[in-house]
Amino acid sequence: MNGKRDLKGAAVIVQGFGNVGYHAAKFLSEEDAARITVVAERDGYFTNADGLSIEALKQHQIKTGSILGFAGATSFPGDMSGIEQPCDVLIPAAMENAIHAGNAERIKANLVVEAANGPVTIEADKVLRTSGVTILPIFTSMPAVSSSATSSG
């Protein structure tokens, strides 16, 4: 990314904080020293430009049932534009069609790593690629899903 061969200090946005999103955020922040700057969920998003403590966030989510209201971050309840914030890496890890024709032009990521089923629509894919965004498809990022998807039928 931009001439770098590692993710140290890279700004990462994770959409979804279930099993996939949580583990992606945890490993990228702990093992690669990436900064998880935004976590977006169905009820809004929160942000901290310096990076979020993923384990503390997980404990907050377990205790309250939500990611919102987490200390050390600014919450945006009901706002679904968290994935549109500037970042190096965007990981849509929860919703199908999270990136679509209506928001693709506002995505400010260098790399989109698909970690959900169909998070980028065909129309959005074209817009992102035309804008120079690299998309790592789910077949590469989640081999178990791709093998089950391709072996059915």
Side-chain angles (χ1 to χ4, degrees):
M1 289 184 322
N2 297 329
K4 291 174 50 178
R5 296 186 58 90
D6 63 46
L7 294 172
K8 184 175 183 178
V12 177
I13 294 175
V14 177
Q15 181 271 319
F17 202 63
N19 196 37
V20 174
Y22 162 68
H23 283 96
K26 178 177 175 61
F27 293 127
L28 287 171
S29 63
E30 291 178 5
E31 295 183 14
D32 295 309
R35 291 177 300 120
I36 311 303
T37 57
V38 173
V39 173
E41 266 285 345
R42 67 189 176 285
D43 52 355
Y45 77 94
F46 65 91
T47 184
N48 183 326
D50 295 327
L52 300 158
S53 170
I54 299 306
E55 269 312 305
L57 171 60
K58 187 62 172 174
Q59 294 310 308
H60 172 81
Q61 182 189 41
I62 290 168
K63 181 178 177 183
T64 67
S66 174
I67 61 168
L68 299 177
F70 178 64
T74 304
S75 293
F76 295 88
D79 188 338
M80 303 311 288
S81 67
I83 65 171
E84 299 170 9
Q85 305 308 307
C87 65
D88 297 303
V89 181
L90 169 59
I91 304 174
M95 290 180 7
E96 187 173 5
N97 302 327
I99 304 172
H100 48 79
N103 67 0
E105 290 183 349
R106 295 189 302 269
I107 299 298
K108 299 175 192 88
N110 297 314
L111 174 66
V112 173
V113 180
E114 294 183 343
N117 289 322
V120 180
T121 66
I122 293 170
E123 297 83 8
D125 185 277
K126 292 175 187 171
V127 170
L128 293 173
R129 290 180 191 277
T130 300
S131 300
V133 176
T134 301
I135 302 172
L136 184 61
I138 194 166
F139 287 107
T140 303
S141 61
M142 294 182 63
V145 173
S146 67
S147 63
S148 65
T150 57
S151 64
S152 62

